[in-house]
């Protein structure tokens, strides 16, 4: 009888321990889920942060733009071209020596406040050795 009476006590203790472990694992899963949600919110807030960019042409003329980190550079390119009255195909935009694509964003290019984007006139044609 003593063995039988101890067995329910052991089962009760095991059940209490198992419930405590389940509760702790649920809290850990909740912590991981909340960490994932926090990282998603942080990324969204970083994408929504505006960055002030200076666009400078070859003559040294400057135009300032404020653009969100997740916005495609196509919008900046279009706005600059309409402001100066040029076509998008006649200009090239460079950031740190690399050409800016229309699909790039300030976030993908790691553009920060006050950074400079250079604008150059697209060269058509060129030098040919046939005329030498």
């Amino acid at each position: 009888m003593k063995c039988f009476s101890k067995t329910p006590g052991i089962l009760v203790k095991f059940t209490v321990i198992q419930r405590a472990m389940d509760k702790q694992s649920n809290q850990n899963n909740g912590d991981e889920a909340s960490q994932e949600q926090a990282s998603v919110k942080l990324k969204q807030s970083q994408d929504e942060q505006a960055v002030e960019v200076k666009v400078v042409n070859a003559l040294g003329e400057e135009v300032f733009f404020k653009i969100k980190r997740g916005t495609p550079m196509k919008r900046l390119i279009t706005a600059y071209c309409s402001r100066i009255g040029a076509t998008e195909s006649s200009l090239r935009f460079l950031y740190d020596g690399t050409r800016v694509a229309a699909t790039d964003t300030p976030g993908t290019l790691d553009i920060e406040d006050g950074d400079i984007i250079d604008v150059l006139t697209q060269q058509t044609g060129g030098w040919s050795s046939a005329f030498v």
Side-chain angles (χ1 to χ4, degrees):
M1 254 354 226
K2 288 185 178 182
C3 289
F4 185 73
S5 66
K6 287 185 180 178
T7 305
I10 292 172
L11 287 176
V12 169
K13 287 181 184 177
F14 176 75
T15 306
V16 170
I17 292 170
Q18 185 65 34
R19 285 183 187 163
M21 289 173 56
D22 289 344
K23 186 184 274 188
Q24 185 177 12
S25 69
N26 287 339
Q27 287 175 347
N28 289 343
N29 290 341
D31 290 344
E32 291 172 5
S34 64
Q35 287 175 351
E36 288 177 23
Q37 289 173 350
S39 66
V40 168
K41 286 180 183 178
L42 179 63
K43 185 177 179 185
Q44 288 173 348
S45 68
Q46 287 176 346
D47 285 345
E48 293 175 3
Q49 289 178 348
V51 177
E52 190 169 317
V53 179
K54 184 179 3 177
V55 180
V56 181
N57 66 9
L59 300 174
E61 298 169 344
E62 302 174 347
V63 179
F64 291 90
F65 289 95
K66 200 167 211 175
I67 186 169
K68 290 183 181 177
R69 296 185 67 74
T71 304
M73 295 298 286
K74 171 81 172 155
R75 295 184 77 181
L76 181 137
I77 293 168
T78 304
Y80 181 81
C81 290
S82 67
R83 184 174 286 182
I84 65 164
T87 61
E88 293 177 26
S89 61
S90 67
L91 300 175
R92 295 293 173 247
F93 293 81
L94 302 172
Y95 175 69
D96 284 341
T98 31
R99 188 167 172 188
V100 175
T103 56
D104 288 335
T105 65
T108 60
L109 295 172
D110 292 328
I111 293 177
E112 302 198 7
D113 276 336
D115 284 352
I116 298 172
I117 295 178
D118 298 312
V119 180
L120 304 173
T121 304
Q122 171 66 26
Q123 178 180 348
T124 53
W127 183 76
S128 174
S129 63
F131 297 110
V132 176

